[in-house]
């Protein structure tokens, strides 16, 4: 693409990835609406914008690594601005489908509360490198004192780097999925060298030395010193390696509170895309729950957690691909409320079945406002009322937007 110098440009808005957008459109990372900028334009992007006139919403990034690290995208923006922007992303997504809803105050997770992250690691000629990539690059940046990750993870970074010379090659890159559990760190490493007897001995010794709860390789458990349990309500669950987990404990608590309110007094609840039981097991303190999930290993963990927890109502499980085989209206007729927490693609087919089945209440959780709004349109066209939406920001300083919402069927009074 050609490279050109350009006169001063004014940023008019932020895109969904958090980049500033000037007329053209021209994209400039880490800029804010109202700012005047200059820089060399390559194609439709200014890679290194110079801020001529800063926005009043610009602040000093709290992390000294922000200029180089690609882990965060919005540390240069004041918290109230980021909260308002994320709220507006949801409003705009709904408005595109002719919808609106009361917006509850955003719930933002505090700094240093991310309890899971995937780190990139590389073995060097001299030493190792473990951290996050720089923006749009394969370069890795060390992240001591990261403002996002839980201290349990950042304090363990030097120890975790000891796996790199053992498992890594100088040509390849390792991915370390690290999760904080009640029993210590749960680590799944992908991209390592093939195992042989000597490597098995080395990994066993290193896992014991670092006192990890569990080490997995490419999603397969290698060694468990202690079950890496997670707490879902009163239940203790040991997820399979790499299983989905809400990013922060405060974020999970906010979503759970919203879901519990949205399902109301229902005595029988279906939890769709249930994972390991984030919602199903806490809800089982007050209602019977049928948990449906495509991953049989996650369901097995959920079931085991339920069986060893006294005092919970009945929880049944069903392994089912809800994209290919959504629960049909006849399946849904026995439930007074449904919780649905699909991946980013949303759940178009399943939502169509819900619209037809008309359960009294639907608690929707989404990590993509665009697909949420698309699915919400189907429900509202079928007579559902979108009672409220709450943004839950557990990916602080990122453009990622999550939300919870409450729908009620036409025959349910507010």
């Amino acid at each position: 693409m050609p490279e050109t110098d350009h006169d001063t440009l004014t940023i008019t808005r932020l895109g969904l990835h958090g980049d500033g957008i000037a007329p053209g459109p021209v994209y400039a990372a880490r800029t804010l609406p109202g700012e005047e900028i200059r820089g060399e334009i390559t194609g439709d992007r200014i890679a290194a914008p110079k801020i001529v006139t800063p926005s009043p919403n610009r602040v000093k990034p709290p992390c000294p690594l922000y200029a180089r690290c690609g882990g965060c995208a919005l540390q240069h923006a004041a918290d109230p601005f980021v909260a308002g922007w994320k709220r507006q992303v949801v409003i705009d997504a709904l408005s595109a489908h002719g919808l609106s809803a009361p917006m509850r105050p955003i719930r933002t997770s505090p700094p240093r509360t991310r309890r899971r992250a995937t780190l990139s690691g590389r073995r060097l000629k001299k030493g190792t490198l473990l951290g996050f990539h720089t923006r749009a690059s394969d370069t890795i940046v060390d992240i001591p004192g990261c403002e996002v990750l839980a201290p349990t993870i950042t304090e363990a970074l030097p120890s975790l780097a000891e796996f790199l010379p053992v498992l890594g090659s100088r040509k390849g890159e390792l991915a370390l999925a690290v999760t904080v559990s009640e029993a210590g760190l749960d680590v799944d490493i992908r991209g390592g060298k093939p195992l042989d007897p000597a490597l098995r001995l080395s990994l066993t010794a290193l896992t014991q030395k670092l006192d990890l709860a569990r080490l997995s390789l490419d999603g397969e458990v290698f060694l468990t010193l202690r079950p890496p349990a997670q707490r879902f309500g009163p239940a203790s669950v040991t997820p399979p390696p790499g299983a989905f987990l809400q990013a922060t404990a405060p974020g999970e608590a906010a979503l759970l509170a919203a879901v519990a309110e949205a399902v109301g007094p229902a005595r029988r609840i279906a939890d769709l895309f249930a994972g390991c039981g984030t919602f199903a097991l806490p809800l089982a303190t007050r209602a019977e729950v049928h948990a449906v999930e495509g991953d049989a290993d996650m369901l097995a963990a959920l079931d085991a957690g339920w069986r060893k927890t006294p005092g919970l109502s009945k929880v049944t499980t069903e392994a089912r691909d809800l994209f290919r085989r959504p629960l049909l209206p006849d399946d849904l007729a026995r439930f007074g409320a449904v919780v649905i927490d699909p991946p980013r693609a949303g759940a178009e087919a399943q939502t169509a079945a819900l619209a037809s089945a008309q359960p009294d209440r639907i608690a929707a959780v989404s990590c993509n406002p665009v697909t949420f709004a698309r699915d919400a349109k189907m429900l509202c066209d079928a007579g559902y009322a979108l009672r409220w939406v709450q943004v839950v920001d557990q990916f602080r300083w990122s453009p990622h937007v999550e939300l919870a919402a409450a729908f009620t069927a036409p025959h349910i009074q507010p």
Side-chain angles (χ1 to χ4, degrees):
M1 300 293 289
E3 297 184 359
T4 61
D5 289 327
H6 204 287
D7 293 333
T8 300
L9 297 175
T10 300
I11 300 298
T12 57
R13 60 190 176 91
L14 293 191
L16 291 179
H17 298 291
D19 288 348
I21 303 176
V26 176
Y27 299 86
R30 300 181 177 182
T31 59
L32 296 172
E35 291 188 328
E36 294 183 334
I37 66 168
R38 290 179 182 269
E40 189 176 76
I41 302 174
T42 302
D44 61 354
R45 180 166 293 277
I46 298 178
K50 178 183 178 182
I51 309 299
V52 178
T53 305
S55 164
N57 291 310
R58 179 171 287 275
V59 297
K60 180 180 178 180
C63 179
L65 302 172
Y66 182 58
R68 296 186 295 122
C69 179
C72 292
L74 292 165
Q75 283 196 11
H76 61 286
D79 285 350
F81 171 84
V82 175
W85 175 69
K86 292 194 174 188
R87 179 179 181 274
Q88 193 62 45
V89 166
V90 177
I91 292 171
D92 291 346
L94 289 170
S95 179
H97 291 276
L99 301 178
S100 63
M103 297 293 296
R104 293 187 166 184
I106 190 171
R107 298 287 297 274
T108 301
S109 295
R112 302 193 178 202
T113 55
R114 278 283 299 276
R115 60 185 179 184
R116 63 173 175 86
T118 299
L119 307 170
S120 297
R122 189 180 293 276
R123 174 187 174 187
L124 306 176
K125 188 174 181 179
K126 294 183 179 180
T128 59
L129 197 55
L130 180 65
F132 292 137
H133 284 113
T134 60
R135 182 181 173 88
S137 167
D138 61 0
T139 301
I140 299 171
V141 178
D142 276 322
I143 51 170
C146 176
E147 289 293 324
V148 171
L149 298 181
T152 303
I153 296 179
T154 52
E155 291 166 5
L157 291 174
S159 298
L160 294 172
E162 294 186 41
F163 281 105
L164 303 180
V166 176
L167 269 174
S169 66
R170 291 182 187 172
K171 295 182 179 180
E173 183 175 296
L174 298 179
L176 283 74
V178 183
T179 303
V180 178
S181 80
E182 291 184 335
L185 291 182
D186 183 16
V187 180
D188 180 29
I189 304 178
R190 298 178 182 264
K193 296 184 293 189
L195 290 177
D196 59 28
L199 182 52
R200 287 181 180 275
L201 287 173
S202 297
L203 290 173
T204 298
L206 187 52
T207 301
Q208 293 171 334
K209 173 190 172 185
L210 302 183
D211 196 31
L212 301 182
R214 181 173 67 182
L215 175 67
S216 303
L217 302 176
D218 296 304
E220 298 291 331
V221 175
F222 176 79
L223 179 63
T224 300
L225 299 184
R226 298 172 299 280
Q230 301 291 337
R231 182 70 55 177
F232 299 141
S236 179
V237 176
T238 301
F244 177 79
L245 179 71
Q246 296 294 339
T248 72
E252 181 179 292
L255 291 172
L256 177 58
V259 165
E261 179 183 347
V263 299
R267 301 305 304 160
R268 302 189 75 183
I269 300 170
D271 183 8
L272 310 183
F273 303 95
C276 292
T278 301
F279 302 124
L281 292 169
L283 289 174
T285 60
R286 54 190 267 194
E288 292 186 3
V289 181
H290 182 59
V292 186
E293 165 61 45
D295 189 310
D297 290 339
M298 287 199 284
L299 274 185
L302 186 161
D303 184 64
W306 170 68
R307 291 181 182 279
K308 66 185 180 183
T309 306
L312 294 181
S313 297
K314 185 178 181 180
V315 175
T316 54
T317 59
E318 180 180 357
R320 183 167 179 151
D321 184 340
L322 291 170
F323 293 105
R324 296 182 179 182
R325 296 179 55 239
L327 260 65
L328 299 177
D330 287 348
D331 303 318
L332 295 163
R334 57 196 175 102
F335 302 109
V338 174
V339 179
I340 184 166
D341 181 13
R344 290 188 61 78
E348 198 166 9
Q350 185 60 77
T351 302
L354 286 171
S356 178
Q358 298 270 308
D360 291 350
R361 292 174 172 81
I362 298 173
V365 177
S366 174
C367 58
N368 185 343
V370 174
T371 56
F372 165 74
R374 177 202 67 198
D375 295 348
K377 173 67 172 173
M378 280 192 284
L379 293 175
C380 292
D381 284 349
Y384 274 88
L386 177 51
R387 296 297 181 188
W388 49 260
V389 176
Q390 182 167 52
V391 176
V392 177
D393 186 8
Q394 49 183 338
F395 291 89
R396 192 182 183 98
W397 298 311
S398 89
H400 192 71
V401 180
E402 292 187 287
L403 62 89
F407 295 86
T408 54
H411 57 277
I412 301 297
Q413 295 300 314

